[in-house]
Short mmCIF file of all heavy atoms in Angstrom, two decimals:
data_model
loop_
_atom_site.label_atom_id
_atom_site.label_comp_id
_atom_site.label_asym_id
_atom_site.label_seq_id
_atom_site.Cartn_x
_atom_site.Cartn_y
_atom_site.Cartn_z
N ALA H 107 -75.39 23.22 40.96
CA ALA H 107 -74.85 24.44 41.55
C ALA H 107 -74.25 24.14 42.96
O ALA H 107 -73.31 24.81 43.42
CB ALA H 107 -75.87 25.50 41.69
N SER H 108 -74.77 23.09 43.63
CA SER H 108 -74.35 22.85 45.01
C SER H 108 -72.86 22.48 45.08
O SER H 108 -72.27 22.63 46.17
CB SER H 108 -75.20 21.70 45.55
OG SER H 108 -74.94 20.48 44.90
N SER H 109 -72.22 22.02 44.01
CA SER H 109 -70.82 21.66 44.05
C SER H 109 -69.99 22.53 43.10
O SER H 109 -68.80 22.21 42.79
CB SER H 109 -70.67 20.18 43.68
OG SER H 109 -71.13 19.92 42.40
N ALA H 110 -70.54 23.65 42.66
CA ALA H 110 -69.86 24.50 41.66
C ALA H 110 -68.97 25.54 42.32
O ALA H 110 -69.30 26.06 43.40
CB ALA H 110 -70.88 25.19 40.73
N ASP H 111 -67.85 25.81 41.67
CA ASP H 111 -66.97 26.93 42.10
C ASP H 111 -67.39 28.24 41.50
O ASP H 111 -67.09 29.31 42.02
CB ASP H 111 -65.53 26.68 41.66
CG ASP H 111 -64.95 25.34 42.25
OD1 ASP H 111 -65.06 25.16 43.48
OD2 ASP H 111 -64.40 24.57 41.48
N ALA H 112 -68.06 28.22 40.39
CA ALA H 112 -68.46 29.39 39.71
C ALA H 112 -69.69 29.08 38.82
O ALA H 112 -70.02 27.91 38.61
CB ALA H 112 -67.33 29.96 38.85
N ALA H 113 -70.35 30.11 38.35
CA ALA H 113 -71.46 29.98 37.47
C ALA H 113 -71.55 31.04 36.45
O ALA H 113 -71.24 32.22 36.72
CB ALA H 113 -72.85 30.04 38.25
N VAL H 114 -71.84 30.65 35.22
CA VAL H 114 -72.02 31.61 34.12
C VAL H 114 -73.55 31.73 33.85
O VAL H 114 -74.13 30.68 33.42
CB VAL H 114 -71.28 31.20 32.85
CG1 VAL H 114 -71.58 32.13 31.71
CG2 VAL H 114 -69.81 31.07 33.09
N VAL H 115 -74.12 32.91 34.15
CA VAL H 115 -75.58 33.04 33.97
C VAL H 115 -75.71 33.76 32.59
O VAL H 115 -75.28 34.89 32.42
CB VAL H 115 -76.16 33.93 35.04
CG1 VAL H 115 -77.69 34.11 34.84
CG2 VAL H 115 -75.92 33.29 36.44
N LEU H 116 -76.37 33.04 31.67
CA LEU H 116 -76.62 33.63 30.33
C LEU H 116 -77.84 34.45 30.27
O LEU H 116 -78.90 34.06 30.89
CB LEU H 116 -76.65 32.52 29.28
CG LEU H 116 -75.30 32.29 28.57
CD1 LEU H 116 -74.31 31.58 29.48
CD2 LEU H 116 -75.53 31.47 27.27
N ILE H 117 -77.81 35.54 29.58
CA ILE H 117 -78.94 36.42 29.34
C ILE H 117 -79.09 36.61 27.83
O ILE H 117 -78.14 37.02 27.14
CB ILE H 117 -78.71 37.81 30.02
CG1 ILE H 117 -78.66 37.63 31.55
CG2 ILE H 117 -79.91 38.72 29.66
CD1 ILE H 117 -77.26 37.48 32.03
N ASP H 118 -80.28 36.24 27.31
CA ASP H 118 -80.58 36.37 25.91
C ASP H 118 -81.01 37.80 25.56
O ASP H 118 -82.14 38.16 26.03
CB ASP H 118 -81.62 35.32 25.47
CG ASP H 118 -81.90 35.30 23.98
OD1 ASP H 118 -81.46 36.25 23.34
OD2 ASP H 118 -82.55 34.36 23.54
N ALA H 119 -80.17 38.55 24.94
CA ALA H 119 -80.55 39.94 24.63
C ALA H 119 -81.77 40.07 23.83
O ALA H 119 -82.51 41.05 23.92
CB ALA H 119 -79.34 40.65 23.95
N THR H 120 -82.03 39.11 22.93
CA THR H 120 -83.20 39.22 22.02
C THR H 120 -84.55 39.06 22.74
O THR H 120 -85.62 39.42 22.22
CB THR H 120 -83.06 38.20 20.90
OG1 THR H 120 -83.16 36.85 21.47
CG2 THR H 120 -81.80 38.33 20.13
N LYS H 121 -84.54 38.52 23.98
CA LYS H 121 -85.78 38.32 24.74
C LYS H 121 -86.16 39.57 25.57
O LYS H 121 -87.26 39.58 26.14
CB LYS H 121 -85.66 37.13 25.63
CG LYS H 121 -85.52 35.80 24.94
CD LYS H 121 -85.34 34.70 25.97
CE LYS H 121 -85.15 33.33 25.32
NZ LYS H 121 -84.96 32.28 26.29
N LEU H 122 -85.26 40.50 25.69
CA LEU H 122 -85.48 41.62 26.55
C LEU H 122 -85.81 42.89 25.80
O LEU H 122 -85.45 43.07 24.62
CB LEU H 122 -84.22 41.91 27.40
CG LEU H 122 -83.73 40.69 28.29
CD1 LEU H 122 -82.42 41.07 28.99
CD2 LEU H 122 -84.74 40.31 29.29
N GLU H 123 -86.53 43.80 26.42
CA GLU H 123 -86.87 45.14 25.80
C GLU H 123 -85.71 46.04 26.12
O GLU H 123 -85.78 46.99 26.86
CB GLU H 123 -88.15 45.60 26.43
CG GLU H 123 -89.36 44.79 26.13
CD GLU H 123 -90.65 45.31 26.74
OE1 GLU H 123 -90.56 46.38 27.40
OE2 GLU H 123 -91.70 44.69 26.62
N TRP H 124 -84.53 45.73 25.47
CA TRP H 124 -83.28 46.36 25.81
C TRP H 124 -83.23 47.87 25.44
O TRP H 124 -82.46 48.59 25.98
CB TRP H 124 -82.15 45.64 25.16
CG TRP H 124 -82.28 45.46 23.63
CD1 TRP H 124 -82.81 44.41 22.98
CD2 TRP H 124 -81.93 46.43 22.61
NE1 TRP H 124 -82.75 44.63 21.61
CE2 TRP H 124 -82.25 45.84 21.37
CE3 TRP H 124 -81.35 47.70 22.62
CZ2 TRP H 124 -82.03 46.49 20.15
CZ3 TRP H 124 -81.10 48.35 21.40
CH2 TRP H 124 -81.44 47.74 20.23
N LYS H 125 -84.14 48.30 24.59
CA LYS H 125 -84.16 49.77 24.29
C LYS H 125 -84.66 50.57 25.45
O LYS H 125 -84.38 51.79 25.55
CB LYS H 125 -85.05 50.01 23.04
CG LYS H 125 -84.51 49.38 21.79
CD LYS H 125 -85.36 49.73 20.57
CE LYS H 125 -84.84 49.04 19.33
NZ LYS H 125 -85.66 49.29 18.14
N ASN H 126 -85.37 49.95 26.37
CA ASN H 126 -85.85 50.57 27.58
C ASN H 126 -84.81 50.43 28.68
O ASN H 126 -84.49 49.31 29.07
CB ASN H 126 -87.18 49.96 28.02
CG ASN H 126 -87.74 50.61 29.33
OD1 ASN H 126 -87.16 51.56 29.83
ND2 ASN H 126 -88.81 49.98 29.78
N PRO H 127 -84.27 51.55 29.20
CA PRO H 127 -83.19 51.46 30.23
C PRO H 127 -83.63 50.70 31.50
O PRO H 127 -82.83 50.21 32.20
CB PRO H 127 -82.81 52.89 30.52
CG PRO H 127 -83.28 53.62 29.31
CD PRO H 127 -84.51 52.94 28.83
N THR H 128 -84.95 50.75 31.82
CA THR H 128 -85.42 50.12 33.01
C THR H 128 -86.25 48.85 32.74
O THR H 128 -87.15 48.50 33.48
CB THR H 128 -86.36 51.15 33.76
OG1 THR H 128 -87.45 51.49 32.91
CG2 THR H 128 -85.56 52.32 34.12
N HIS H 129 -85.90 48.11 31.67
CA HIS H 129 -86.59 46.85 31.29
C HIS H 129 -86.42 45.88 32.43
O HIS H 129 -85.46 45.88 33.23
CB HIS H 129 -86.04 46.37 30.00
CG HIS H 129 -84.63 45.85 30.10
ND1 HIS H 129 -83.54 46.62 29.94
CD2 HIS H 129 -84.19 44.58 30.30
CE1 HIS H 129 -82.48 45.95 30.05
NE2 HIS H 129 -82.81 44.72 30.26
N ALA H 130 -87.33 44.86 32.45
CA ALA H 130 -87.32 43.83 33.46
C ALA H 130 -86.48 42.63 32.94
O ALA H 130 -86.52 42.28 31.78
CB ALA H 130 -88.73 43.36 33.82
N LEU H 131 -85.71 42.04 33.87
CA LEU H 131 -84.96 40.81 33.56
C LEU H 131 -85.96 39.65 33.55
O LEU H 131 -87.09 39.68 34.17
CB LEU H 131 -83.90 40.57 34.57
CG LEU H 131 -82.81 41.67 34.66
CD1 LEU H 131 -81.87 41.34 35.86
CD2 LEU H 131 -82.02 41.75 33.36
N LEU H 132 -85.61 38.54 32.95
CA LEU H 132 -86.47 37.36 32.89
C LEU H 132 -86.50 36.72 34.27
O LEU H 132 -85.50 36.71 35.00
CB LEU H 132 -85.96 36.35 31.89
CG LEU H 132 -86.02 36.82 30.45
CD1 LEU H 132 -85.41 35.68 29.51
CD2 LEU H 132 -87.42 37.10 29.98
N PRO H 133 -87.71 36.15 34.69
CA PRO H 133 -87.79 35.59 36.07
C PRO H 133 -86.75 34.47 36.27
O PRO H 133 -86.22 34.35 37.38
CB PRO H 133 -89.20 35.00 36.09
CG PRO H 133 -89.99 35.85 35.05
CD PRO H 133 -88.93 36.19 33.99
N GLN H 134 -86.45 33.64 35.27
CA GLN H 134 -85.59 32.53 35.50
C GLN H 134 -84.11 33.05 35.67
O GLN H 134 -83.34 32.44 36.38
CB GLN H 134 -85.64 31.55 34.36
CG GLN H 134 -85.03 30.17 34.68
CD GLN H 134 -85.89 29.36 35.65
OE1 GLN H 134 -86.63 29.94 36.45
NE2 GLN H 134 -85.80 28.09 35.60
N THR H 135 -83.73 34.16 35.06
CA THR H 135 -82.44 34.76 35.30
C THR H 135 -82.32 35.17 36.77
O THR H 135 -81.29 34.91 37.43
CB THR H 135 -82.26 36.02 34.41
OG1 THR H 135 -82.38 35.62 33.03
CG2 THR H 135 -80.91 36.64 34.67
N ARG H 136 -83.37 35.74 37.29
CA ARG H 136 -83.38 36.17 38.73
C ARG H 136 -83.37 34.95 39.63
O ARG H 136 -82.64 34.94 40.60
CB ARG H 136 -84.58 37.11 38.96
CG ARG H 136 -84.61 38.33 38.13
CD ARG H 136 -85.90 39.10 38.30
NE ARG H 136 -85.97 39.68 39.63
CZ ARG H 136 -85.60 40.94 39.92
NH1 ARG H 136 -85.07 41.73 39.01
NH2 ARG H 136 -85.76 41.39 41.15
N ARG H 137 -84.26 33.98 39.33
CA ARG H 137 -84.33 32.79 40.15
C ARG H 137 -82.99 32.03 40.27
O ARG H 137 -82.52 31.74 41.36
CB ARG H 137 -85.42 31.84 39.64
CG ARG H 137 -85.53 30.54 40.49
CD ARG H 137 -86.60 29.66 39.97
NE ARG H 137 -87.94 30.11 40.25
CZ ARG H 137 -88.77 30.61 39.33
NH1 ARG H 137 -88.41 30.64 38.02
NH2 ARG H 137 -89.96 31.06 39.65
N HIS H 138 -82.36 31.77 39.11
CA HIS H 138 -81.09 31.07 39.11
C HIS H 138 -80.05 31.87 39.86
O HIS H 138 -79.22 31.30 40.58
CB HIS H 138 -80.70 30.77 37.71
CG HIS H 138 -81.36 29.57 37.09
ND1 HIS H 138 -81.03 28.99 35.90
CD2 HIS H 138 -82.36 28.80 37.59
CE1 HIS H 138 -81.79 28.00 35.65
NE2 HIS H 138 -82.62 27.79 36.66
N SER H 139 -80.04 33.17 39.66
CA SER H 139 -79.02 33.99 40.35
C SER H 139 -79.16 33.94 41.85
O SER H 139 -78.19 33.79 42.61
CB SER H 139 -79.09 35.43 39.85
OG SER H 139 -78.83 35.54 38.48
#
Side-chain angles (χ1 to χ4, degrees):
S108 65
S109 59
D111 301 310
V114 178
V115 182
L116 262 74
I117 297 91
D118 184 347
T120 63
K121 295 179 182 177
L122 302 177
E123 297 178 1
W124 53 266
K125 293 181 181 179
N126 178 6
T128 59
H129 68 276
L131 300 173
L132 294 178
Q134 198 71 334
T135 301
R136 301 172 68 93
R137 178 182 287 109
H138 279 187
S139 299

